[in-house]
Amino acid sequence: QVSRILLYAFLIFLLVILAMIARRKILLTQRKKRFCLECKNDAIGWIFADTIHILQKMGFDRKNGSVQSICPSVEASLGAEYVSELKQMVDLNARALFSSHVLEETHRETALSFRGNTIQQLQNHTTWKQRFKMKWIQCIY
């Protein structure tokens, strides 16, 4: 009886792990599709929104205000160089959302590079438990 209970518990645990992996794969595939939209302006908007979400999960909450409002606390934690890139991304996002000009592939690549830099900052400034939760439970990155 005990071995059967252990077998069932192991199978349930395995199913939970497989469900987590499948969920993560689905969410990341959907995100990648949004980041590769034919309309570069829309893709940049999605990339920027995702990057800001990552920053919020790191503790830089703008409380529905401007992204500029978190710049002092981000600079204190992540440095002036990162904040400079963040401000450039704010400007790029504004152009993507509000300008009638179509942005180029290089702009999308810049946004993706900044998102990658943000993920690197997340990995450098969070504990392994936080990273595990963000990566596998919340599927942030």
Side-chain angles (χ1 to χ4, degrees):
Q1 290 293 354
V2 174
S3 62
R4 228 176 229 215
I5 292 172
L6 288 175
L7 177 63
Y8 289 141
F10 177 74
L11 289 175
I12 290 171
F13 176 74
L14 190 60
L15 285 174
V16 168
I17 297 297
L18 290 174
M20 285 175 56
I21 291 170
R23 177 178 176 267
R24 177 175 161 72
K25 182 167 178 57
I26 290 167
L27 291 174
L28 293 181
T29 300
Q30 291 172 343
R31 188 173 297 144
K32 185 176 180 180
K33 284 180 185 177
R34 287 191 305 258
F35 292 174
C36 296
L37 290 172
E38 189 173 324
C39 177
K40 304 297 182 239
N41 293 35
D42 290 346
I44 290 168
W46 281 111
I47 295 165
F48 183 75
D50 187 71
T51 305
I52 295 305
H53 185 68
I54 293 169
L55 285 171
Q56 287 175 331
K57 291 297 182 181
M58 290 173 64
F60 302 109
D61 191 6
R62 60 191 177 104
K63 298 175 179 50
N64 290 330
S66 169
V67 174
Q68 298 285 355
S69 67
I70 65 171
C71 286
S73 59
V74 170
E75 183 172 7
S77 296
L78 306 180
E81 184 178 326
Y82 182 82
V83 168
S84 174
E85 289 180 39
L86 176 60
K87 289 178 181 179
Q88 290 173 359
M89 280 306 305
V90 168
D91 292 339
L92 181 61
N93 183 60
R95 286 190 349 214
L97 294 178
F98 304 115
S99 174
S100 61
H101 295 91
V102 177
L103 297 177
E104 303 292 324
E105 176 64 21
T106 56
H107 294 113
R108 189 181 73 81
E109 290 170 3
T110 299
L112 284 172
S113 175
F114 178 70
R115 182 180 178 275
N117 188 7
T118 302
I119 291 171
Q120 186 63 45
Q121 294 291 339
L122 177 144
Q123 292 172 340
N124 292 339
H125 293 91
T126 56
T127 65
W128 71 270
K129 290 178 186 178
Q130 291 170 319
R131 287 191 303 272
F132 179 83
K133 180 181 175 186
M134 287 183 211
K135 187 171 186 173
W136 292 101
I137 308 290
Q138 298 172 329
C139 300
I140 300 297
Y141 68 101

